[in-house]
Amino acid sequence: MTSRFLVSNARVLLFVISLLICFLSSWSAGKNTAEIMTLTGFCTLLAFISVQDHTNHKIPNKLTLFPIPIVFFFSFLMPNIYEFSPIEIWWAAPLFGSLIGGIIFSICYFLPKVTLGGGDVKLATLIGSITGFPLCLASLLIGLLIFVVKQGLHRNKESTPLALYLYCGTLISIVVAQQL
């Protein structure tokens, strides 16, 4: 009973620290209040998804598919939310980001001997729509690199949830892109 309580506190602490990082990074980059709250809300959603995946080894469709249209709505209201977007059309960055993330992970999903779940494909699509193109490539690459390094160091052969590592890669890429 005590270990569950300590793990729960560690998750909450990690959750709060990552949200503070997202908030402070957006604030220091000169984002307006609406953009700061939107990015922090997206980071909250991704953090919650990563905790769900780590706890239950499952990512519910409601948490990944439902927010994608909401991301498009907010990109219409705040087109400057995307970093390094080469296209000025409000819907292009989230559309191309979600397509690229979804297609890359869909291809990996159908490869033999790959233990990638369908929730990871939908999460990559959501991350692509949140970060936009081309930042989605950096987000997913950094997350996968962290995952590969962790798996290599621990030589773990059992299935490990990927959402936490994709969230970490997304948070790192958003923070670095805002500071450049």
Side-chain angles (χ1 to χ4, degrees):
M1 188 81 151
T2 306
S3 64
R4 287 188 67 175
F5 182 72
L6 292 175
V7 170
S8 176
N9 282 341
R11 287 181 188 156
V12 169
L13 183 62
L14 181 64
F15 189 76
V16 170
I17 288 172
S18 66
L19 294 181
L20 281 173
I21 289 170
C22 184
F23 178 83
L24 292 174
S25 172
S26 299
W27 178 71
S28 70
K31 300 278 186 190
N32 65 38
T33 305
E35 292 171 343
I36 292 171
M37 297 315 249
T38 301
L39 283 171
T40 305
F42 291 157
C43 286
T44 303
L45 174 66
L46 293 175
F48 183 71
I49 290 171
S50 68
V51 168
Q52 281 288 98
D53 189 32
H54 188 71
T55 306
N56 304 329
H57 290 265
K58 189 171 188 169
I59 301 174
N61 289 339
K62 291 181 252 183
L63 294 178
T64 53
L65 296 179
F66 180 69
I68 292 175
I70 296 170
V71 171
F72 276 87
F73 175 73
F74 279 109
S75 70
F76 171 71
L77 296 177
M78 295 171 270
N80 295 331
I81 203 166
Y82 296 101
E83 308 293 334
F84 303 125
S85 180
I87 304 169
E88 295 298 322
I89 304 169
W90 68 267
W91 52 265
L95 177 67
F96 292 138
S98 61
L99 283 174
I100 288 172
I103 288 171
I104 290 172
F105 272 64
S106 293
I107 291 170
C108 293
Y109 178 76
F110 289 111
L111 291 175
K113 296 184 183 180
V114 175
T115 57
L116 187 68
D120 296 326
V121 175
K122 293 175 277 190
L123 179 62
T125 305
L126 178 62
I127 288 173
S129 66
I130 289 173
T131 57
F133 178 78
L135 196 57
C136 68
L137 295 172
S139 299
L140 298 174
L141 181 65
I142 292 169
L144 289 173
L145 284 175
I146 294 170
F147 176 75
V148 167
V149 167
K150 188 256 181 196
Q151 289 294 96
L153 291 176
H154 290 276
R155 302 205 191 282
N156 195 358
K157 297 294 182 190
E158 65 184 50
S159 176
T160 304
L162 187 59
L164 177 65
Y165 305 102
L166 293 178
Y167 169 63
C168 290
T170 302
L171 188 63
I172 290 168
S173 66
I174 288 174
V175 168
V176 169
Q178 287 179 345
Q179 301 307 315
L180 293 180

